[in-house]
Amino acid sequence: MSEAVLYDEVDGVVTLTLNEPETRNAISPAIVDALVGHIERINTDMSVRCVIVTGAGDGFSSGGNVKQMRDREGMFGNEPVQIRRGYWYGIQRIPMAMYSLEVPAIAAVNGAAVGAGCDLSLMCDIRLANTKAVFAESFMRVGLVSGDGGAWFLPRVVGYSRAAEMTFTGDFVKAEEAERIGLVSRIVPDDQLMDEARKLARRIAANPPHSLRLNKRLLRDSQGVPLPTALEMASCMQALVQSTEDQHEAVSAFLDKRAPEFKGR
């Protein structure tokens, strides 16, 4: 059997590719396990500085398996208490893992990102899309609610009003509209999506690793705390990074007008 999520690392950039194109990369238990495992690996590996998430084939992810919903199979075929636990110990491991991911993540959305697939893209820090990309918070279409964190992530990306419209209608949002409302950073030609994602990832990965990870944590955590708390976090993180060799190297390279050489120390 092929790997559910492919792991490829080049020069500090890891590409995670959902690899079940026969289901349009629907979020299966195998994908959950593989994705969570890879994120845990990345968090302990200081050589990794950026992650790209994309899908094999012509789509990013179709979300939940609608046939299993119809046939009441898998996570859709249990008693309510079991379903609740199934979410917590199943698909909800993904938002928890993505939230804890220490390095910046770029979603390279290469087609449909629907339901839980849309939510997975929202869990990334940056989204790039090709012209075929389409997004949908489609749970209402099948009588469900967003069970994997979309109600938490989506308003933080597009604002409450847009999030409410997408949630209550289940409408599909094409790439151009997604760019207009800030759902994606930009649209790139179909055959250049991964090249552009890797180019951006390399720019991010060129930064000092400790500072990069702490900047991500500060940006993420500052959204949910009062300003004084955010400022206290920032001052403590400043104290940490100012004690690193890489921060001194960054300043020296800036003043010397040369490329820095970071060592992760």
Side-chain angles (χ1 to χ4, degrees):
M1 293 180 65
S2 61
E3 297 178 64
V5 179
L6 302 178
Y7 186 106
D8 178 66
E9 181 179 356
V10 179
D11 297 331
V13 175
V14 167
T15 300
L16 299 177
T17 305
L18 308 186
N19 190 39
E20 295 187 352
E22 65 279 2
T23 64
R24 295 178 298 160
N25 304 311
I27 306 298
S28 66
I31 284 180
V32 172
D33 288 342
L35 197 56
V36 170
H38 290 326
I39 291 169
E40 291 174 351
R41 170 183 174 183
I42 289 165
N43 282 344
T44 61
D45 185 352
M46 289 301 297
S47 70
V48 179
R49 303 184 188 181
C50 192
V51 170
I52 299 169
V53 180
T54 192
D58 297 327
F60 184 77
S61 173
S62 61
N65 191 313
V66 179
K67 290 183 179 179
Q68 286 188 344
M69 296 179 200
R70 179 195 63 194
D71 299 335
R72 291 293 193 266
E73 295 177 350
M75 64 185 297
F76 303 101
N78 295 318
E79 296 297 319
V81 291
Q82 295 173 311
I83 292 174
R84 173 188 171 274
R85 289 179 58 83
Y87 270 89
W88 181 248
Y89 292 104
I91 195 170
Q92 289 181 349
R93 293 165 60 209
I94 291 180
M96 294 298 289
M98 290 296 293
Y99 184 79
S100 71
L101 178 61
E102 293 187 1
V103 300
I106 301 167
V109 184
N110 55 315
V114 179
C118 178
D119 292 344
L120 176 58
S121 76
L122 298 170
M123 297 170 200
C124 297
D125 304 291
I126 301 167
R127 282 156 298 284
L128 304 182
N130 67 9
T131 61
K132 298 176 182 177
V134 61
F135 300 82
E137 196 72 355
S138 57
F139 300 94
M140 192 72 77
R141 289 175 172 261
V142 288
L144 297 176
V145 301
S146 173
D148 63 320
W152 193 90
F153 289 98
L154 184 59
R156 286 167 166 78
V157 174
V158 299
Y160 182 84
S161 180
R162 293 284 185 188
E165 183 175 349
M166 288 181 65
T167 300
F168 300 155
T169 65
D171 285 349
F172 288 88
V173 177
K174 294 183 179 180
E176 294 79 4
E177 177 69 4
E179 184 180 38
R180 190 181 72 82
I181 65 176
L183 183 55
V184 301
S185 294
R186 64 179 184 271
I187 303 169
V188 299
D190 297 355
D191 60 350
Q192 297 176 27
L193 176 62
M194 290 308 298
D195 287 340
E196 288 298 314
R198 293 187 186 103
K199 186 186 301 182
L200 177 57
R202 286 194 297 268
R203 288 176 57 199
I204 293 171
N207 290 296
H210 290 290
S211 298
L212 185 61
R213 291 185 179 216
L214 286 174
N215 265 291
K216 169 162 177 172
R217 177 168 292 190
L218 182 62
L219 188 64
R220 180 198 66 196
D221 291 355
S222 291
Q223 297 180 73
V225 300
L227 177 60
T229 304
L231 294 174
E232 177 64 17
M233 289 191 301
S235 63
C236 292
M237 290 181 183
Q238 286 284 47
L240 289 173
V241 296
Q242 287 180 27
S243 69
T244 63
E245 292 180 18
D246 282 347
Q247 194 271 328
H248 292 282
E249 167 63 8
V251 173
S252 297
F254 180 82
L255 293 174
D256 296 343
K257 298 181 180 179
R258 61 174 173 82
E261 297 182 10
F262 300 126
K263 299 179 180 178
R265 298 198 296 264

